[in-house]
Amino acid sequence: MRILITGGAGFIGSNFIRYMRSSHPEDQIVNIDALTYAGNLDNLRDVDAKQYAFVKADITNANEIEPLVEQGFDVIVNFAAESHVDRSILDPSAFVRTNVMGTQVLLDAAKKYGVKKFVQVSTDEVYGTLAPDDDAFTETTPIQPNSPYSASKASADLIVRAYHETYGMDVNITRCSNNYGPYQFPEKLIPLMIINALEDKPLPVYGDGQQVRDWLHVWDHCAGIDLVMRQGKGGEVYNIGGNNERTNLDIVRTVLKYLGKPESLIRHIADRPGHDRRYAIDARKIRAELGWKPRYTFESGISETIEWYLNHREWWVAVRDGTYRNYYEKMYGARLGESRF
Ligand code: NAD
Ligand code: DAU
């Protein structure tokens, strides 16, 4: 199989390439990535060049994308995106450009050059938020995104669906819950809390910290995408999630306990605007139709992840360059200064 992966230098994409190399070494992979702040070729340093190539390209630029897709692929798996909700609140424009327009550029190229399958890696955030007693999101839950990030992902999902309905393209959309694992950029909750705790810095918890996320180890997400790519029925959406609902405060306390650090490092700061209260995924469809099941429990996955950050200090020190420090100051400086709780 010849597979074009976009965004393969980011967190999930780089884990997916590693997953593919170990589970299907015969497949050929081309990884295209614009190497934004979140894209890092260090994430792929251990990937063998055999059957694998990297090309720096921007999915919003048809002049860069079309000659690549013309080389002929069985599948495109689109991971490339602006992925951080907080950044989308600061500036939505890059989110609309990459997540919406970039997806459409890829779909056009896939249609033009006869790519057999298009897999859109989407998110449970397109469904919006749940009340404590609501049932988990199913594939038929109405789309009701609340942040510029989730609205841009929902828009992309609708465009992908339209290319199936209008042009008969074989597409799938996967909607996964919160991922964690190695190589996650430390703007996201779990790596940020691990690294701050290791450095005895304050752990910034938004609002009361009782928001709930449904955590899945990235390797289990990759296994789900692989199954969808090979066996997914054309035009179908598949939810992926591991039944691991935890409050943010639980997560932060778990990290502190594992590292032997005091809870006095926790700081409740001003909440994220439009903050979704709870996500929960009903993954019965992918389990029943494609036989997917997660390999990790939350306990095994979080311990392995914390150990990975303990053993890869050079990786996270390097990614926290000047750009990261500017972002951190902009996002947390004033809020930590005026801790309200
Ligand atoms: P990430 O931010 O770590 O990586 C995104 C990658 O896309 C980076 O390598 C970046 O350089 C690349 N990219 C950005 N704009 C690009 C462009 N215009 N052209 C080419 N490459 C570009 O994100 P992630 O956490 O790995 O998420 C990957 C995908 O999975 C996203 O589509 C995201 O919406 C989705 N997703 C993420 C999660 C999660 O918990 N992280 C959960 C469900 C779905
Ligand atoms: O659900 C899937 C989504 O999960 C993906 O589509 C997104 O790409 C991914 O970023 C993630 O979105 P969240 O907004 O849920 O993840 P984040 O790690 O930013 O935040 C998780 C929760 O922790 C959320 O309730 C906000 C809270 N939080 C986050 C940070 C960074 C804090 O309390 N403090 C923080 O410093």
Side-chain angles (χ1 to χ4, degrees):
M1 216 184 219
R2 266 178 65 74
I3 305 165
L4 183 68
I5 289 172
T6 71
F11 164 50
I12 305 176
S14 62
N15 277 288
F16 185 71
I17 291 170
R18 212 169 285 105
Y19 178 91
M20 292 299 293
R21 288 270 60 96
S22 66
S23 57
H24 304 284
E26 69 288 358
D27 287 342
Q28 290 174 19
I29 293 177
V30 175
N31 169 19
I32 61 173
D33 196 297
L35 299 181
T36 67
Y37 79 92
N40 181 357
L41 291 179
D42 274 353
N43 297 0
L44 294 157
R45 207 167 255 183
D46 58 341
V47 171
D48 189 342
K50 206 169 149 226
Q51 305 275 71
Y52 166 76
F54 171 74
V55 182
K56 184 170 186 293
D58 185 331
I59 61 163
T60 66
N61 185 339
N63 295 328
E64 289 179 9
I65 295 305
E66 291 210 351
L68 288 166
V69 178
E70 191 178 6
Q71 292 170 12
F73 290 93
D74 299 298
V75 188
I76 293 179
V77 187
N78 183 26
F79 291 94
E82 290 293 334
S83 68
H84 193 38
V85 173
D86 291 327
R87 288 185 192 256
S88 82
I89 295 166
L90 290 176
D91 178 12
S93 62
F95 287 74
V96 174
R97 200 166 46 248
T98 290
N99 301 0
V100 186
M101 293 164 71
T103 301
Q104 183 250 317
V105 166
L106 288 171
L107 284 163
D108 273 346
K111 175 161 74 73
K112 187 165 174 184
Y113 297 111
V115 175
K116 296 190 194 102
K117 167 82 92 181
F118 188 96
V119 179
Q120 174 70 2
V121 181
S122 186
T123 167
D124 61 355
E125 296 199 13
V126 300
Y127 297 121
T129 190
L130 292 169
D133 297 331
D134 285 349
D135 290 338
F137 302 128
T138 70
E139 288 81 358
T140 54
T141 299
I143 285 179
Q144 223 163 14
N146 293 317
S147 72
Y149 162 70
S150 53
S152 69
K153 294 293 291 185
S155 307
D157 286 10
L158 295 179
I159 291 171
V160 171
R161 180 190 140 86
Y163 274 62
H164 172 71
E165 297 294 329
T166 306
Y167 306 115
M169 283 175 64
D170 183 344
V171 304
N172 286 116
I173 296 168
T174 60
R175 295 188 181 138
C176 190
S177 55
N178 286 61
N179 283 210
Y180 66 98
Y183 299 101
Q184 188 167 30
F185 194 79
E187 64 190 353
K188 307 279 165 53
L189 180 75
I190 289 183
L192 190 137
M193 296 300 162
I194 296 172
I195 290 171
N196 280 18
L198 283 172
E199 296 191 327
D200 299 306
K201 288 187 178 150
L203 270 47
V205 170
Y206 300 163
D208 63 6
Q210 293 304 322
Q211 305 83 1
V212 172
R213 297 293 183 266
D214 185 352
W215 294 94
L216 185 73
H217 192 279
V218 65
W219 203 255
D220 287 324
H221 184 189
C222 293
I225 294 169
D226 181 34
L227 279 173
V228 170
M229 181 178 93
R230 287 167 206 280
Q231 299 170 34
K233 196 166 150 243
E236 293 292 311
V237 176
Y238 294 93
N239 282 353
I240 310 178
N243 276 333
N244 277 308
E245 287 187 60
R246 299 270 193 283
T247 66
N248 293 339
L249 260 185
D250 279 349
I251 297 286
V252 172
R253 288 190 177 124
T254 302
V255 168
L256 287 171
K257 190 165 176 216
Y258 191 95
L259 294 173
K261 301 285 184 177
E263 291 198 4
S264 56
L265 286 175
I266 295 173
R267 298 279 189 289
H268 289 271
I269 64 168
D271 209 348
R272 173 186 277 176
H275 199 170
D276 287 336
R277 196 69 182 164
R278 173 179 168 236
Y279 304 142
I281 275 280
D282 181 334
R284 277 180 293 182
K285 179 173 172 182
I286 191 171
R287 282 176 182 263
E289 290 186 13
L290 306 184
W292 174 83
K293 63 170 190 284
R295 188 179 90 175
Y296 283 90
T297 60
F298 185 72
E299 289 66 30
S300 62
I302 194 71
S303 321
E304 192 189 281
T305 302
I306 297 174
E307 287 294 328
W308 188 88
Y309 282 89
L310 279 168
N311 294 324
H312 291 79
R313 191 181 179 87
E314 71 298 340
W315 180 87
W316 54 264
V317 167
V319 299
R320 290 189 319 172
D321 61 3
T323 327
Y324 177 84
R325 283 195 292 276
N326 288 342
Y327 163 78
Y328 195 88
E329 183 50 35
K330 200 167 175 182
M331 183 56 61
Y332 296 101
R335 286 154 100 192
L336 279 166
E338 58 189 38
S339 180
R340 299 177 312 135
F341 291 82

